[in-house]
Amino acid sequence: MLTLILPDATLALNSTTLAILGGIVPPPSSVPPYFNTTPLIQLYSITANKWLDPVAPLPVALNHPNAVVVDGQVYLLGGLADTRDGVWRGTGTSWVYDPMSNEWSRLSGMSDIDTPRGSAAVGVDAHTGLVYLAGGMTQLPLVEDDPLGQDSVDTVSAFDTRRGMWVVLPEIARQMSGRRDNAGVTVVDGVLYVLGGRDRGKENVSGEVFALDLKDLEKGWVTKRGRMPTPRGGVCSGTVGGKVYVFGGEENLAEGSDGVFDQVEAYDTKTDTWESLQPMKVPRHGGAPVDMFDVFYP
Ligand SMILES: *[C@@H]1O[C@H](CO)[C@@H](O)[C@H](O)[C@H]1NC(C)=O
Ligand SMILES: *[C@@H]1O[C@H](CO)[C@@H](O)[C@H](O)[C@H]1NC(C)=O
């Protein structure tokens, strides 16, 4: 059975099964930590059209987890955790999950190398087995107007899944051209793209596309000419055939929108241009699309 969850990570565990990791579960409470961040993993079989039995939960309860599947293993590379003062804070604790043995093993933490954070844009270089974490946030106060504020970072970190360690990137690749969290992300033809997202708070959303050529990190981050027609944060994105589809998102100022977007816009990585597509029937933000295309048609 599905427990309502956000902001989680949803991944293709393999060609038939989706895994939903962490997030928060209702009901919210009026006292800190306000929400219940969960270590739950929920599995859904597309072929059997049913929810599977629960597997070993995350070793830590995280929302906005930085998670990805590489070579059939689930990498959990930090995220945000509940605190007693009602602020979600970054934790760098990192783990790998083996679906065959149903066991989690501890990895070195993100804090070995960079600021622990959640909600990074996560991309994988399939050739090197490096996982890139671009941007993210280190703190998110849950009380509106908390002077502490929400931050966003421009830090870029990399974890080498083959050597099981964090690696130091060349200086020029270690910082994106701006701070972003809750952005869209993809890797196409060895280039990591970070699309839209927000910079220190929901009010400050972006339509920019930042790109890093993973085949030549010394070229550093570039800002593409093509800008997302509707700047948005809290978006979700999926990629098919070199086009990145960006769905919904947050901070819609239009009357009656409740702040949520229904826009669907696609970025063509070959032509560096955007097109607007049919909007979603139900506006959404903080969704978690799973790009199964590569899984079914590798
Ligand atoms: C995918 O993973 C699920 C859960 O571990 C497992 O039951 C299923 O057999 C796997 N399917 C394939 C095709 O590997
Ligand atoms: C919005 O982002 C800009 C940088 O892009 C920054 O200077 C500004 O402080 C941000 N505004 C808010 C309200 O966080």
Side-chain angles (χ1 to χ4, degrees), residues 9-193:
T10 302
L11 310 169
L13 189 64
N14 57 39
S15 61
T16 62
T17 307
L18 302 180
I20 303 178
L21 279 67
I24 57 174
V25 286
S29 121
S30 57
V31 293
Y34 303 116
F35 294 99
N36 301 303
T37 295
T38 181
L40 199 60
I41 300 188
Q42 299 173 91
L43 298 186
Y44 177 75
S45 166
I46 297 171
T47 40
N49 187 21
K50 66 172 193 190
W51 295 91
L52 304 179
D53 290 336
V55 292
L58 311 179
V60 279
L62 292 178
N63 62 67
H64 295 89
N66 308 313
V68 71
V69 175
V70 185
D71 295 332
Q73 310 283 295
V74 181
Y75 288 84
L76 177 63
L77 304 170
L80 300 182
D82 287 338
T83 60
R84 275 196 209 125
D85 58 355
V87 177
W88 287 340
R89 289 184 201 279
T91 165
T93 169
S94 299
W95 304 80
V96 60
Y97 173 75
D98 180 359
M100 297 304 256
S101 63
N102 190 27
E103 271 170 18
W104 288 92
S105 312
R106 191 165 194 143
L107 301 168
S108 64
M110 198 194 315
S111 51
D112 284 7
I113 192 156
D114 279 321
T115 318
R117 56 199 194 271
S119 189
V122 184
V124 181
D125 183 344
H127 295 288
T128 59
L130 287 192
V131 177
Y132 288 82
L133 276 66
M137 56 184 163
T138 75
Q139 64 185 38
L140 180 63
L142 298 170
V143 176
E144 199 120 348
D145 301 326
D146 187 323
L148 182 64
Q150 183 227 298
D151 70 348
S152 310
V153 298
D154 54 12
T155 314
V156 183
S157 316
F159 185 83
D160 185 335
T161 58
R162 299 195 183 143
R163 291 192 293 158
M165 59 189 281
W166 294 89
V167 293
V168 179
L169 293 172
E171 191 68 29
I172 195 167
R174 287 180 57 87
Q175 259 180 325
M176 275 194 298
S177 322
R179 306 164 191 237
R180 294 287 181 271
D181 62 80
N182 287 282
V185 63
T186 193
V187 176
V188 176
D189 292 336
V191 178
L192 172 64
Y193 296 87

Side-chain angles (χ1 to χ4, degrees), residues 150 179-180 199-201 203-204:
Q150 183 227 298
R179 306 164 191 237
R180 294 287 181 271
D199 177 0
R200 283 160 285 168
E203 295 73 20
N204 220 352

Side-chain angles (χ1 to χ4, degrees), residues 125 127 188-191 212-219:
D125 183 344
H127 295 288
V188 176
D189 292 336
V191 178
L212 178 68
D213 187 344
L214 305 180
K215 304 179 294 302
D216 186 1
L217 295 173
E218 293 294 345
K219 283 197 213 153

